[in-house]
Amino acid sequence: MPVPVWRPYLLLATSLICLVVVLFPFYWIVITSILPTEIVLSRNPPLLPPLGEITFAAYFEVFARKPLLTWISNSMMITAGTLAITISTGAMAGYSLSRFRTKAQQAMGFGLLASKMLPGSLIIIPFFILFSKAGLIESKLGVILANSATAVPFATWLLKGFFDAIPRELEQAAMIDGCNEWQAFRHIVLPLAAPGLAAASAYIAIVTWADLVFARTLNSKPDNWVVTVGLQSFTGEYLVEWGALMAASAVSLLPMLVLFLLLEPFLVKGSTQGSLAN
């Protein structure tokens, strides 16, 4: 059946509309950060910034008044620690659930899935009591462990799906060639599951970077604040510093943008593999 002539144009128009909807909040963050607050909060704010009104004073103000780089550095350390624990643990747990189907492992899998349904606000009190006794309050390790505890179930089940798609015959062939089970997992399975590892890393990095509940509750000292907690300091009871808040928000997005650029080849490779498999 021939493809209608208008179909590519319809798909292109739909893609452009989706792109505009997705990117508009980021565009408005930048616009708000480079325009005076009275213009942004006016009754009819301009969609395109007047060139004569553009100013970068909010960016200079943020770096002069607030330790934004310290907050970003704390967020990067907590995100990196959470990724290291979550991906390593989730990969091994997902591989175990994929290759070994005992009742105990199925029970463990459903237990992990059920734990994912608990919201962070519900488990923060047990975490606070536990970490207080362990001396992990006011430390980055406590926040890393709290985020890891909530991210491991997602990583486990996501990676299990990728491991299910890898033929077991490849591991058996590697073991015939002299590899043991760990070496077959390390050198054969993990490289083939790279798109899944990239997808899990991207999601977990976003969730950890945006975490506020654990970071705010477990760390109260300003030196230990992450960027989400620091952004709260721009909002007061009677006043919101919109220009500085949006400038700090725009800067805080840069590390996630760099991470996505690094993971993009693996994500594209995974989507291409999925299309070919279908």
Side-chain angles (χ1 to χ4, degrees), residues 92-133:
M92 290 187 285
Y95 179 76
S96 175
L97 289 176
S98 173
R99 294 297 190 262
F100 308 103
R101 306 292 177 87
T102 64
K103 291 184 178 178
Q105 285 171 313
Q106 290 180 350
M108 183 195 73
F110 284 113
L112 287 173
L113 190 62
S115 67
K116 183 59 183 172
M117 301 176 186
L118 299 175
S121 56
L122 185 63
I123 59 179
I124 184 59
I125 294 177
F127 276 162
F128 186 85
I129 296 173
L130 180 64
F131 291 164
S132 295
K133 293 182 178 179

Side-chain angles (χ1 to χ4, degrees), residues 59-211:
Y59 289 88
F60 294 108
E61 179 186 354
V62 164
F63 284 104
R65 290 177 46 209
K66 304 284 186 177
L68 181 59
L69 294 180
T70 300
W71 298 340
I72 293 177
S73 175
N74 291 338
S75 291
M76 292 177 68
M77 284 189 283
I78 289 173
T79 302
T82 302
L83 281 176
I85 295 175
T86 303
I87 295 301
S88 58
T89 306
M92 290 187 285
Y95 179 76
S96 175
L97 289 176
S98 173
R99 294 297 190 262
F100 308 103
R101 306 292 177 87
T102 64
K103 291 184 178 178
Q105 285 171 313
Q106 290 180 350
M108 183 195 73
F110 284 113
L112 287 173
L113 190 62
S115 67
K116 183 59 183 172
M117 301 176 186
L118 299 175
S121 56
L122 185 63
I123 59 179
I124 184 59
I125 294 177
F127 276 162
F128 186 85
I129 296 173
L130 180 64
F131 291 164
S132 295
K133 293 182 178 179
L136 294 176
I137 299 297
E138 303 299 346
S139 74
K140 298 179 182 65
L141 180 58
V143 184
I144 290 173
L145 293 177
N147 281 294
S148 300
T150 58
V152 164
F154 171 81
T156 299
W157 278 97
L158 178 65
L159 293 174
K160 176 185 177 299
F162 280 87
F163 290 138
D164 286 341
I166 299 175
R168 298 188 181 190
E169 288 77 9
L170 295 176
E171 303 163 58
Q172 294 170 353
M175 286 188 277
I176 290 174
D177 289 339
C179 292
N180 56 34
E181 292 184 2
W182 169 253
Q183 290 172 330
F185 172 71
R186 169 69 180 82
H187 298 292
I188 303 298
V189 177
L190 280 184
L192 293 175
L197 297 172
S201 299
Y203 176 80
I204 293 166
I206 292 173
V207 173
T208 305
W209 192 267
D211 166 59

